[in-house]
Amino acid sequence: LTVACAALMLTLTACGQAAAEELGVTVLGQHPHDELAFTQGLLLAAGYLYESTGLVGRSSLRQVDLATGEVIRLRSVPPPHFAEGLELVGNELLQLTWQSGVLFRYDLATFELVGEQRYQGEGWGLCYDGEAVWMTDGSATLFKRDPASFEVLSSVQVLLDGKPLPRLNELECVDGEVYANVWQTDMIVRIDPTTGQVTATIDAAGLLTEAERRDADVLNGIAHDDGTDTFLVTGKHWPALFRVRFVPAD
């Protein structure tokens, strides 16, 4: 069995699990991005970019003009909170906090705080698949939560080549799959949330120039543009946000 499994490694991993597809990025364009923004959560809705930024004392919720990078509206998140992932559910923006265990709910139109809920553990990334929200806590686990009560419905361990993949961070739900940044890397992964299997690894290295890299932090932030079926990706303290497609690696 071990020999047979090794012979199939080009197409199969873990003796029966399909190997993750290897993808890269094609850059279609770029938009300005506030270099002071420590990007934690990112989404696109009705032509505007919504962004959650972190760090204690500098955390915020923002509405941004995609074309110019201008911050149209900003709501500060006060200490001791360190803001994290962000998602839109109906007319509410849901914002995680890193270690406070608090979920903030804001009205999309006014940015007014309309509710708070508690959860256990750390908050990292968040996305909505149309029925449930998926959350990360920095581990290799995806948590499926009720969008109204925020109670955990189920969880799944994320596996790459049969091994747990930790440090799952910012999320984007697209067509029944979950895309995740892997913290402190230039890799994005595509996950089947029903099985936890990584179905694709995406190498997003090389988006910034060497000079831009010196003042920037890690890749973080994925938003899907339904209208063009493209993705917007950026990072913490990045000067640009890139419009890309994920394509087969060379």
Side-chain angles (χ1 to χ4, degrees):
L1 180 62
T2 303
V3 174
C5 184
L8 293 172
M9 282 300 290
L10 288 177
T11 55
L12 300 175
T13 59
C15 286
Q17 296 296 337
E21 184 180 9
E22 294 183 0
L23 303 176
V25 297
T26 292
V27 177
L28 305 174
Q30 67 183 70
H31 305 278
H33 182 251
D34 181 4
E35 293 181 66
L36 297 179
F38 195 76
T39 306
Q40 299 294 101
L42 199 68
L43 65 94
L44 191 65
Y48 290 103
L49 193 70
Y50 292 87
E51 186 170 10
S52 173
T53 71
L55 301 177
V56 175
R58 291 174 50 192
S59 291
S60 69
L61 171 67
R62 302 173 175 211
Q63 180 184 17
V64 180
D65 184 302
L66 181 61
T68 65
E70 177 189 359
V71 178
I72 298 169
R73 184 173 2 199
L74 184 149
R75 182 187 178 103
S76 295
V77 178
H81 303 299
F82 186 124
E84 281 277 355
L86 181 72
E87 187 51 287
L88 176 66
V89 178
N91 293 316
E92 290 185 354
L93 289 162
L94 278 58
Q95 185 182 46
L96 294 173
T97 54
W98 179 29
Q99 295 179 318
S100 301
V102 179
L103 173 80
F104 294 116
R105 291 178 176 268
Y106 306 94
D107 180 84
L108 175 65
T110 65
F111 272 28
E112 290 299 315
L113 184 65
V114 296
E116 297 182 17
Q117 288 163 305
R118 305 290 305 189
Y119 56 85
Q120 296 294 317
E122 295 186 356
W124 286 43
L126 197 66
C127 75
Y128 179 53
D129 67 6
E131 295 182 359
V133 289
W134 293 89
M135 174 180 160
T136 54
D137 65 353
S139 69
T141 302
L142 278 179
F143 297 91
K144 183 179 183 181
R145 291 180 174 269
D146 183 278
S149 68
F150 213 61
E151 292 296 318
V152 175
L153 302 175
S154 63
S155 63
V156 63
Q157 188 176 52
V158 175
L159 302 175
L160 174 60
D161 296 337
K163 299 178 182 179
L165 180 66
R167 298 186 297 179
L168 299 172
N169 200 358
E170 214 269 316
L171 302 179
E172 184 77 353
C173 291
V174 183
D175 297 332
E177 296 176 302
V178 176
Y179 291 79
N181 284 118
V182 180
W183 185 52
Q184 292 186 323
T185 78
D186 289 318
M187 184 169 70
I188 297 168
V189 292
R190 187 183 69 206
I191 304 162
D192 179 345
T194 62
T195 65
Q197 294 299 319
V198 172
T199 60
T201 60
I202 302 154
D203 183 357
L207 292 174
L208 296 180
T209 66
E210 192 172 325
E212 289 170 333
R213 264 296 202 195
R214 285 196 288 269
D215 296 320
D217 208 313
V218 296
L219 177 80
N220 194 68
I222 317 165
H224 185 249
D225 186 341
D226 295 338
T228 60
D229 194 25
T230 58
F231 288 85
L232 301 167
V233 297
T234 190
K236 305 174 190 296
H237 297 316
W238 280 30
L241 182 144
F242 297 87
R243 184 178 294 277
V244 303
R245 278 204 172 93
F246 300 144
V247 298
D250 292 335

